[in-house]
Amino acid sequence: MGDYLAPKTPRSPFATRFMNTPLASPMKKAFENIHGYLEEVGRFTKLDPQDAWLPITESRKGNAYYAAFHILSSGIGFQALVLPLAFTSLGWTWGIICLCAGFMWQLYTLWLLIQLHESECGVRHSRYLKLAMAAFGEKLGKLLALFPIMYLSGGTCVTLIMIGGGTMKIFFQIVCGEGCTRSPLSTAEWYLVFTCTAILLAQLPNLNSIAGVSLIGAITAVAYCALIWIVSVVKGTLPHVSYDPPKGQSELTRIFCVCNALGIIAFAFRGHNLVLEIQGTMPSDAQQPSRSAMWRGCMFAYLVIALCLFPLAIGGYWAYGNSIPSDQGMLGALYKFHQHDTSKLIIALTSLLVVINSLSSFQIYAMPVFDNLESRYTIKKNRPCPRWLRMALRGFFGCLAFFIAVALPFLRSLAGLIGGIALPITLAYPCFMWIEIKKPNMYSITWCLNLTLGVLGMVLSVMVVTGAIWGIVAQGIKFHFFNPQ
């Protein structure tokens, strides 16, 4: 017997004759091109169906402008006001060198995160925690990233309540004046006023919808930074200003002070826990991947951030030297040294700008918490979160943050300690995730650079935590529960 021949699928006589005509060739090429394009688009748009129900990725209509607004609003904040404190331990030369190195380092890790947002298999990592789990595995990723991310979100919101509410109180005192007969609100009551306003703003549905709020936050942040350093420089240096390190310190004390200073600089460039979330609001396809628009927005935003932070740090240290207040930094120095020789209008305007920026920053830092809370409901029920439940969850978080701000008013004194724990989110984890996901050749330039920076970031984190613990032990903390000052 001969070989068995499988029956052929019958073909249409019309299709056979048509495909042999001169018109068929360009049409075949067109269909092949369309097919290839659709495959490319599908590769870039493989999304989790639940993303359409969650506040971070509910709307994907963002652009480079929106990204710049969000980054500016979250990237310039109260952490920038204490930068001159780092110079009191590092001095002029090392202070400027470390500030420049920290800025370039975090800009590089920011670029890494933007590139890692879209994986080669088509998955978009629109949350930092998801990227960490994809790189390190589910258990290790949660262990390494969950607490730092939630602290940088929830802890920052608590601190913003303290700063915003406290500045509201100062603003009222300046505007009202000494002759005001009204009974002033207590600090805790001002915290409540700030929290209620923040919860009201938090009812905007998703991250993309707060772009206007972030724009206002960006403008106010740039404005109050400029006002503070310009007033400080125009007024000149304080009488008998000193730039020399404190005398009588032991060698060990100086080392720990340097660690704290490095922590202050590193913490000033926080916000990497929000980068992937912001990029997740952008559309993406083969022709225009989201990383292109995101990087343009980041470059503009960080140019503005540099123009705010460097004059603030250098000008503040030049004006106040070692007399810079350790609590509120440049804002405290403005109140302490220039309250009587500066127009009340400028002092009041600066306070108002700080309050508005704090309210705006609260929205973007709270969004990952809102997203996490709602994701628990959508995963369990497999349907979007009802509007009433969304409002309740956001109100609950605002009340919880208010309670912590009132119950633990000394929490800001622990910022260096917990900030050191969260520091790898910015400086170390992106480098390790790049190695794990992209898998560059071992001992190549890229591999060596990322491994070196990642290890240095972890070492710096340990140094900052150690310095913070030493500071707590040496200087002590006044524990006053339920008594905000």
Side-chain angles (χ1 to χ4, degrees):
M1 289 180 62
D3 295 336
Y4 173 74
L5 297 177
K8 296 182 179 180
T9 304
R11 298 169 62 185
S12 167
F14 174 77
T16 304
R17 289 195 300 270
F18 177 76
M19 295 310 289
N20 291 329
T21 62
L23 183 62
S25 181
M27 291 189 67
K28 283 173 63 178
K29 291 182 180 179
F31 281 121
E32 289 174 357
N33 290 337
I34 292 173
H35 179 69
Y37 174 75
L38 291 176
E39 284 185 345
E40 281 292 306
V41 172
R43 186 174 71 84
F44 274 85
T45 56
K46 188 185 293 184
L47 304 174
D48 187 342
Q50 289 198 348
D51 278 354
W53 300 338
L54 299 176
I56 287 178
T57 48
E58 189 176 52
S59 172
R60 293 188 184 270
K61 298 180 180 179
N63 52 49
Y65 299 104
Y66 287 8
F69 301 159
H70 292 315
I71 293 170
L72 281 171
S73 180
S74 60
I76 306 175
F78 62 89
Q79 72 276 9
L81 298 176
V82 296
L83 271 176
L85 282 172
F87 281 66
T88 61
S89 299
L90 297 173
W92 280 113
T93 303
W94 283 109
I96 295 175
I97 290 174
C98 291
L99 187 61
C100 293
F103 181 79
M104 297 304 297
W105 189 350
Q106 62 85 35
L107 199 62
Y108 172 69
T109 56
L110 182 73
W111 180 82
L112 292 180
L113 289 175
I114 293 172
Q115 300 302 312
L116 292 173
H117 174 81
E118 293 160 336
S119 67
E120 294 181 359
C121 63
V123 177
R124 293 187 66 179
H125 303 292
S126 299
R127 293 156 187 85
Y128 197 108
L129 182 60
K130 295 293 185 182
L131 180 62
M133 291 166 60
F136 304 130
E138 185 173 353
K139 291 184 179 180
L140 184 60
K142 284 184 177 180
L143 180 65
L144 293 175
L146 183 59
F147 172 75
I149 290 171
M150 288 299 105
Y151 166 72
L152 285 173
S153 297
T156 299
C157 290
V158 172
T159 307
L160 288 169
I161 290 176
M162 296 179 180
I163 292 175
T167 311
M168 273 184 169
K169 181 179 180 180
I170 295 173
F171 175 76
F172 178 81
Q173 292 172 346
I174 295 172
V175 173
C176 192
E178 298 178 357
C180 185
T181 57
R182 296 180 181 179
S183 177
L185 298 177
S186 66
T187 303
E189 290 170 332
W190 280 114
Y191 286 3
L192 181 61
V193 172
F194 180 91
T195 305
C196 290
T197 309
I199 291 175
L200 185 63
L201 281 174
Q203 301 312 314
L204 291 169
N206 52 62
L207 182 56
N208 207 37
S209 66
I210 66 171
V213 177
S214 294
L215 172 60
I216 295 173
I219 293 172
T220 53
V222 173
Y224 80 69
C225 283
L227 272 176
I228 291 175
W229 76 259
I230 289 174
V231 169
S232 301
V233 170
V234 168
K235 294 296 181 180
T237 58
L238 295 177
H240 309 295
V241 65
S242 174
Y243 306 110
D244 298 325
K247 297 180 180 180
Q249 287 184 339
S250 64
E251 190 67 25
L252 184 62
T253 301
R254 283 196 292 270
I255 292 174
F256 284 130
C257 287
V258 169
C259 292
N260 278 327
L262 295 175
I264 290 172
I265 292 175
F267 197 56
F269 300 117
R270 61 177 188 164
H272 283 45
N273 60 306
L274 298 172
V275 170
L276 295 173
E277 285 78 352
I278 295 170
Q279 191 173 353
T281 65
M282 295 181 172
S284 184
D285 56 44
Q287 303 300 320
Q288 294 181 332
S290 63
R291 59 177 175 267
S292 301
M294 185 65 185
W295 184 240
R296 290 198 304 271
C298 286
M299 288 298 291
F300 172 77
Y302 273 92
L303 174 63
V304 177
I305 289 173
L307 293 176
C308 290
L309 265 56
F310 279 81
L312 198 66
I314 298 172
Y317 184 58
W318 175 81
Y320 306 113
N322 294 335
S323 300
I324 189 82
S326 60
D327 186 18
Q328 290 184 304
M330 289 291 286
L331 189 62
L334 186 68
Y335 295 146
K336 181 178 180 180
F337 300 116
H338 300 301
Q339 190 171 7
H340 300 293
D341 62 359
T342 304
S343 169
K344 281 189 175 182
L345 178 62
I346 294 179
I347 303 292
L349 178 60
T350 304
S351 302
L352 180 61
L353 292 172
V354 170
V355 171
I356 296 174
N357 175 256
S358 298
L359 286 169
S360 303
S361 298
F362 185 97
Q363 308 309 313
I364 190 168
Y365 275 102
M367 198 59 71
V369 180
F370 298 157
D371 189 86
N372 188 38
L373 292 173
E374 292 186 29
S375 68
R376 298 178 183 273
Y377 176 88
T378 59
I379 291 173
K380 185 176 181 180
K381 300 293 185 180
N382 198 28
R383 63 172 183 263
C385 197
R387 185 172 180 82
W388 68 267
L389 182 58
R390 173 174 280 186
M391 294 174 64
L393 288 174
R394 297 183 180 194
F396 167 76
F397 171 73
C399 293
L400 179 63
F402 166 74
F403 175 79
I404 296 174
V406 174
L408 308 174
F410 56 86
L411 196 62
R412 277 192 293 178
S413 302
L414 301 175
L417 174 61
I418 308 179
I421 299 173
L423 188 144
I425 291 289
T426 301
L427 300 182
Y429 292 167
C431 301
F432 292 136
M433 289 191 290
W434 179 272
I435 293 175
E436 289 294 326
I437 293 175
K438 295 296 185 179
K439 300 187 183 304
N441 294 328
M442 189 174 293
Y443 305 118
S444 64
I445 295 177
T446 304
W447 186 87
C448 293
L449 175 63
N450 284 292
L451 182 64
T452 302
L453 291 179
V455 172
L456 285 177
M458 297 304 297
V459 171
L460 181 60
S461 176
V462 173
M463 292 173 60
V464 172
V465 170
T466 305
I469 293 174
W470 171 85
I472 294 171
V473 173
Q475 302 174 10
I477 294 179
K478 295 181 180 179
F479 293 95
H480 44 281
F481 298 93
F482 296 96
N483 185 26
Q485 303 295 325

